[in-house]
Amino acid sequence: MEQAQLELLVLASQNGNTKAFECLFEHFHPLLIRFANNLCGNPALASDAVQDVWLNTSRSLRKLRDPRAFKSWLYRAVRWRVLDLKKAKAYLSESIDETELTQPLDESQITERELKRAIDQLADKERNVVYLFYLSELSISEIAAVLEIPSGTVKSRLSSARTKLKDLMQLDNLAS
């Protein structure tokens, strides 16, 4: 979705246009679920967090002064809600999906799985930046807003994460 389109949908939603809000929901919901799940590793908790954020967004969207900030505002809300739910609930780590054990893997899936395993080995701060930049396609400034850190810190974490991922992937290839 282009930035101008996004801003128009936000403005229309702020004025009570439910169709515009539905468009925002349809576009961002799967991205937010993926982001929340990346933060906590628990699909149920991720779903609850995102649902809570959408409910809150429907009530508080009019308070957003700059429609250009909607994307980072939404991601930041999900981040905070996940953190709140993680503190409030004791939950167990997600178990291995049984369908993964029964489906044959092709080479691209193995590569994806290896990459995911390497990303999971990064520190939380680096993993979150990698996820937001590459998978959620947020800009450096948007990531800075979501994580509430300076842009320079985002850049240094990305650089550090790239170096570590390169090393981890080389180690995996040597072990194979």
Side-chain angles (χ1 to χ4, degrees), residues 87-107:
K87 288 177 187 174
K89 296 179 180 180
Y91 65 94
L92 298 173
S93 297
E94 178 183 337
S95 61
I96 296 174
D97 184 6
E98 290 177 20
T99 59
E100 287 182 3
L101 299 174
T102 59
Q103 293 177 346
L105 297 175
D106 64 25
E107 289 183 22

Side-chain angles (χ1 to χ4, degrees), residues 44-166:
L45 186 111
S47 181
D48 287 347
V50 172
Q51 182 178 0
D52 290 350
V53 167
W54 280 117
L55 288 171
N56 193 33
T57 299
S58 70
R59 290 184 224 124
S60 62
L61 185 57
R62 291 177 191 246
K63 296 176 186 175
L64 180 66
R65 292 193 177 138
D66 185 0
R68 292 175 295 184
F70 177 75
K71 187 176 181 180
S72 58
W73 181 70
L74 197 57
Y75 273 85
R76 186 172 40 245
V78 168
R79 177 176 167 256
W80 281 110
R81 188 62 187 143
V82 166
L83 292 174
D84 288 346
L85 289 176
K86 280 176 71 173
K87 288 177 187 174
K89 296 179 180 180
Y91 65 94
L92 298 173
S93 297
E94 178 183 337
S95 61
I96 296 174
D97 184 6
E98 290 177 20
T99 59
E100 287 182 3
L101 299 174
T102 59
Q103 293 177 346
L105 297 175
D106 64 25
E107 289 183 22
S108 65
Q109 288 175 317
I110 293 169
T111 303
E112 276 182 41
R113 188 174 279 174
E114 289 170 353
L115 180 59
K116 175 71 173 131
R117 197 173 295 132
I119 290 172
D120 287 345
Q121 291 179 39
L122 295 173
D124 286 345
K125 293 177 180 182
E126 292 169 337
R127 185 175 54 246
N128 290 339
V129 171
V130 165
Y131 181 82
L132 289 169
F133 187 76
Y134 290 107
L135 301 176
S136 296
E137 299 179 359
L138 270 65
S139 69
I140 299 291
S141 61
E142 289 172 326
I143 295 169
V146 169
L147 299 178
E148 300 175 291
I149 57 176
S151 294
T153 304
V154 172
K155 291 177 186 177
S156 67
R157 286 182 186 173
L158 268 175
S159 176
S160 174
R162 286 181 190 125
T163 302
K164 288 179 183 175
L165 283 173
K166 183 178 175 186

Side-chain angles (χ1 to χ4, degrees), residues 12-46:
S13 295
Q14 287 177 317
N15 290 323
N17 184 327
T18 56
K19 289 287 186 194
F21 189 80
E22 287 173 18
C23 287
L24 291 171
F25 176 86
E26 288 173 11
H27 178 74
F28 284 106
H29 187 73
L31 302 171
L32 295 174
I33 290 288
R34 213 169 62 199
F35 173 61
N37 194 42
N38 179 63
L39 289 174
C40 66
N42 181 321
L45 186 111

